[in-house]
Every structure is written in structure tokens, then in C-alpha cells.
Amino acid sequence: MIAAFVGGTVIALNAVAHQFQAGAAAAALPAPTESPSAPSSTPSVPPSPSDTAVPAAPTAPPVPPAFDKTAHSIDDPNSIWVVVNKQRPLADGANFVPPNLVDLPRDMPDPLGYMLRSDAADALHSMFAADKAEVGTQLIAQSGYRDYSVQVRAYQHYKDALGVAGADKTSARPGFSEHQTGLAMDIMDTSSGCDLETPCFGSAPSGVWLAANAYRFGFILRYPADKTAVTGYEYEPWHFRFVGVDLATEMHNTGVETLEEFFGLPAAPDYAG
Ligand SMILES: [Zn+2]
């Protein structure tokens, strides 16, 4: 009702409405006093019994909505939440190729030309820029997407040299590598002198910063120092996994370090056989 919002003109418009009510259009016009939101100069009408008969909703204190742990699949290899470990190979791993693989932007050192999924690549780009701004170092994308055939060759190389037990400590079996998801990147920098063989990077300025700040960009440190029995991998201060900002932030805020613990999955210290 326009009349309801214009104060002193209510009476005049009501009069017009009453004139219409006398005519053929009367049935289509609501009575001027029916609008419950109408600020009116006329005395307010007490609510009728039917207005108060509806029970009020329980007034629980407001709580933030619980994090939805089912928002993405942890089984679908296309999902940014897929959990891959020694007990959870990629589904159809011999044939799986992640969607939207892209080369990294040219301003990111990527000496071996590894690709990532586009969403992970964008986040990595932002993280490299933030490290440069906040730490002053230059990060390097050391190893990203590895396809199944590359993993077959890598594992075979170590198996020939070290045997199965030795190879399993060094390289994921084909179909069990998080690198095949296109969501994992091994990160180094140009100044620490560290490599992918020792924990050195974990105490370098960039490694410390990444461990504390990667969640802001949707990454988690996938193989923390004290979680080998859960993840099946030794401490890898260079290996970061993209899971999206929502999940990475939730894990950061709740202090849960591994995907296995967060999703209530069994520990995966070793292969089934
Ligand atoms: Zn890695």
C-alpha cells in the first residue's frame, strides 16, 4: 500500500480507495488497514487470537554453521578434497588424468616444466607472490603433476636400486601418488640451499612461512614431521597439497594437521600388501 508509507496522505488515499470499493474494482483492492507493516496514525489494532496461536520457534543461541565435511568427495579423484594415501589409491589410477591441467605462469620458477590443475596453479601463484612480499625469498615449483607412466618409471627405478622396501620409503607406488591429482607441489626456494632429501627446508625462512601461511591460499603441509604413522610418509616440508581455502582454513583453525584425521579415516602407515 502506497498509502501506508506517506503518513499524512493516508486519509486522502483511503478516501480514494473507498471510492474504488464502491465500484467494480473493489474486490481487487486490499483494505487500507490490512497491511501489517503500515505505520499509521490510526490506533493500532491488537493482534487477533489467530496471530498469536503459532508457537514461537525455540530461541537457541546463535551458533556458527558446522563445517560441512561432505561438501566435496574424498573418493572422487577429480575432487579437490580427494584423500590419496597408501591405503587409498586413486580410483582407476592407471587411466586417471586430472581436469584443467595448466602450465604455471611464466613468472614462477618451474625449472622442470611441471603442470598443476588451474585452481591449484592460481593459488600457488598467489602464494609465491605473498612469500616474496612477506619473506623476501623466491620460491621454486620443483615438482607438480606426475602422470601414471612417470610414476611407474620412478617407482621401478627405486625398486631396481633399493628393493620394494627401500622403494616404498622413497617413492609412491603408481596410482598412489598425490602428485597424480594435479593438486600437489613440491616447493623449494632459491636461497636456502635445501633440497628434497632432508628436512632442511622446514627451518628455512620460506619453509617456516609456508607451514604457517599456506592455508591462506588453500594449501596444507601434507606430511608433517610427527604424522608419519598417519600419513605413511616421512616429514616433507616441501610437499604442499591444494584443498581449497575453506578446508585448509578449517584445518588450521581446528589444529587438525592431516586429511586422514580430519575426515576420520584410518591411518595409512603402509600399503595393504
Ligand atoms: Zn611431493
Side-chain angles (χ1 to χ4, degrees):
M1 290 296 295
I2 292 173
F5 301 99
V6 291
T9 62
V10 167
I11 292 172
L13 290 172
N14 283 355
V16 173
H18 281 297
Q19 288 173 8
F20 277 109
Q21 282 173 346
L29 282 171
T33 55
E34 282 180 357
S35 173
S37 62
S40 171
S41 59
T42 59
S44 61
V45 179
S48 67
S50 65
D51 288 336
T52 57
V54 178
T59 54
V63 292
F67 187 84
D68 181 3
K69 292 188 176 184
T70 66
H72 298 278
S73 171
I74 61 171
D75 302 316
D76 179 353
N78 296 291
S79 167
I80 61 169
W81 287 6
V82 65
V83 181
V84 182
N85 61 34
K86 291 178 177 178
Q87 298 284 331
R88 296 174 55 88
L90 285 159
D92 194 23
N95 297 303
F96 174 70
V97 176
N100 306 317
L101 286 171
V102 297
D103 291 322
L104 300 182
R106 290 180 176 274
D107 61 345
M108 297 173 67
D110 179 20
L112 300 176
Y114 280 104
M115 296 189 292
L116 279 185
R117 276 178 52 164
S118 61
D119 39 5
D122 289 345
L124 193 76
H125 188 246
S126 297
M127 190 161 73
F128 274 36
D131 171 82
K132 187 176 286 183
E134 298 176 29
V135 186
T137 55
Q138 176 61 60
L139 298 178
I140 302 172
Q142 196 70 37
S143 183
Y145 168 63
R146 298 200 287 262
D147 70 23
Y148 185 83
S149 65
V150 166
Q151 201 67 28
V152 168
R153 290 198 296 274
Y155 184 77
Q156 189 64 45
H157 167 80
Y158 288 110
K159 191 174 157 186
D160 290 345
L162 305 170
V164 170
D168 283 344
K169 289 180 182 171
T170 307
S171 173
R173 293 182 183 178
F176 291 80
S177 174
E178 205 172 53
H179 282 278
Q180 197 184 337
T181 66
L183 297 168
M185 179 59 74
D186 295 335
I187 300 171
M188 276 292 138
D189 68 3
T190 59
S191 50
S192 68
C194 298
D195 57 29
L196 302 182
E197 307 296 329
T198 74
C200 166
F201 189 62
S203 52
S206 292
V208 171
W209 182 88
L210 283 170
N213 291 278
Y215 78 94
R216 292 162 45 195
F217 308 91
F219 286 88
I220 61 169
L221 176 68
R222 182 67 176 97
Y223 305 123
D226 56 347
K227 296 294 182 181
T228 299
V230 175
T231 66
Y233 288 89
E234 300 285 329
Y235 177 38
E236 292 193 3
W238 55 82
H239 181 110
F240 288 86
R241 159 70 193 276
F242 183 73
V243 295
V245 170
D246 288 351
L247 175 54
T249 300
E250 180 70 8
M251 292 175 70
H252 173 81
N253 290 344
T254 57
V256 179
E257 291 184 284
T258 69
L259 295 174
E260 288 80 6
E261 292 167 304
F262 186 83
F263 288 110
L265 298 169
D270 215 334
Y271 297 101

